[in-house]
Amino acid sequence: TKLCPGFLFDRGMFLRKRTPFIVITLSGLAGPLMAAVTTFADLEIGLIFSGLLLIVLAVITYFVFPKVVFCVILAMMLMNVSSPQLGSALGYFYTADEQCLADGPHFNYTYYITITGIVGSVVNFVSVILYQAFMSTWRFRPALIFTIVIGSLAPIVDLVIVMRWNEAIGISDEVFFLLGNAIFENLVVILLAIPMSAIYAKVSPPGMESAVFAYVVGIGNFTGMFSGLVGSAIIEWSKMKTVGEDCDFSELPTIIVLFKILLPMLVGIPATFLIPNVLQTEPLIDWDKEKWCEEDVSTGNDGEHGESLMDPQISVGNEEDDGRIEPHLL
């Protein structure tokens, strides 16, 4: 173990897992590259470039990490991409004034942002309790499928309001939105985040927990950004007019049905079968048996090994067991 200014550097671990460490480090460039391309280039170019980056990350994961890690990341990619973010179009619809949309909900920003934010915070708290009470004993796959189904049914509330069907049955836009979208959207986010966070932690190997966890979560965040790009492209290609006078939201119902209801079920649910169907209290990978990417750190052909974690010449302190330094000795 090397003692560097301010932290410990496990050189032996780095040498044995050199390739994964390099891949994890370079993957951090994906987000800035995507942001730069989408800022200075057309949406189509940014979409193609980001899609290629996702493919590259998936291929690298396949060759560098264990199969289970690849399957988890691929499932996460498919689930995120199959649910493009259309919040901007729906936000414009709900807050459009009478000049933009004569027959619309006409929510003011105080109601749309503040009230729904308060309700969302309460729902987040309740969601954690419900998950712990009822879903924590489920296997990963049923928990994810159940959440995807609920998430696919929740946009029906948006569809009803967009089609103005709620007025036909005498329910105001504010009440229908508050009892529907404001609750279920936040509910689905929490119910999906809890098992996925547990999965991310379970595919992180001992000794590299923080690095692999950051790698998997980073790819998840990147696919979320890509999902936002896909949503923007869908809105742009639909030719909807969301601002100004005489707005046109005629394609919004079709977009909701195709991309918020059908697509998550057709792609997201099959993607869950890539994740091992084990209990949430069981490990996904047996790391004692899993030997992956153990690189040869020997030098030359005479069988002499280079510096390693157990080499007394590079160990710090008097720890003869594993060459590590105790924190209180710093």
Side-chain angles (χ1 to χ4, degrees), residues 46-163:
L47 197 62
I48 295 173
F49 179 78
S50 302
L52 292 175
L53 277 180
L54 269 183
I55 295 175
V56 170
L57 289 172
V59 171
I60 291 176
T61 302
Y62 176 80
F63 286 105
V64 174
F65 293 90
K67 181 181 178 181
V68 174
V69 178
F70 167 74
C71 290
V72 166
I73 288 180
L74 182 59
M76 174 258 294
M77 287 180 175
L78 293 174
M79 286 188 289
N80 284 348
V81 174
S82 65
S83 183
Q85 300 175 15
L86 303 174
S88 58
L90 290 170
Y92 283 122
F93 173 82
Y94 285 124
T95 58
D97 56 24
E98 295 183 358
Q99 292 181 341
C100 175
L101 185 64
D103 184 25
H106 304 148
F107 291 166
N108 60 60
Y109 284 99
T110 300
Y111 175 84
Y112 185 69
I113 297 178
T114 306
I115 301 300
T116 56
I118 295 174
V119 173
S121 299
V122 175
V123 171
N124 290 344
F125 176 75
V126 175
S127 300
V128 175
I129 297 177
L130 291 176
Y131 190 94
Q132 179 63 31
F134 299 103
M135 298 178 62
S136 60
T137 57
W138 294 13
R139 296 180 182 271
F140 278 117
R141 198 176 295 165
L144 293 173
I145 292 175
F146 175 79
T147 304
I148 292 174
V149 171
I150 296 298
S152 299
L153 296 178
I156 294 177
V157 175
D158 295 316
L159 180 64
V160 170
I161 296 178
V162 170
M163 299 299 295

Side-chain angles (χ1 to χ4, degrees), residues 281-302:
T281 54
E282 297 177 349
L284 291 179
I285 303 176
D286 186 352
W287 292 108
D288 292 332
K289 296 181 180 179
E290 182 70 43
K291 301 297 182 182
W292 63 284
C293 210
E294 289 284 356
E295 300 187 22
D296 186 11
V297 298
S298 61
T299 58
N301 299 321
D302 55 358

Side-chain angles (χ1 to χ4, degrees), residues 104-232:
H106 304 148
F107 291 166
N108 60 60
Y109 284 99
T110 300
Y111 175 84
Y112 185 69
I113 297 178
T114 306
I115 301 300
T116 56
I118 295 174
V119 173
S121 299
V122 175
V123 171
N124 290 344
F125 176 75
V126 175
S127 300
V128 175
I129 297 177
L130 291 176
Y131 190 94
Q132 179 63 31
F134 299 103
M135 298 178 62
S136 60
T137 57
W138 294 13
R139 296 180 182 271
F140 278 117
R141 198 176 295 165
L144 293 173
I145 292 175
F146 175 79
T147 304
I148 292 174
V149 171
I150 296 298
S152 299
L153 296 178
I156 294 177
V157 175
D158 295 316
L159 180 64
V160 170
I161 296 178
V162 170
M163 299 299 295
R164 317 306 292 144
W165 293 338
N166 59 298
E167 290 188 339
I169 58 178
I171 302 179
S172 67
D173 295 324
E174 290 80 5
V175 173
F176 200 80
F177 174 82
L178 188 61
L179 297 179
N181 185 290
I183 292 178
F184 284 102
E185 184 175 358
N186 291 278
L187 177 68
V188 170
V189 170
I190 297 299
L191 293 184
L192 186 62
I194 293 176
M196 291 306 297
S197 297
I199 291 173
Y200 296 160
K202 288 178 180 291
V203 297
S204 301
M208 292 184 63
E209 294 92 339
S210 58
V212 176
F213 186 84
Y215 176 74
V216 178
V217 173
I219 293 180
N221 293 335
F222 184 82
T223 54
M225 296 167 60
F226 181 74
S227 177
L229 277 182
V230 173
S232 299

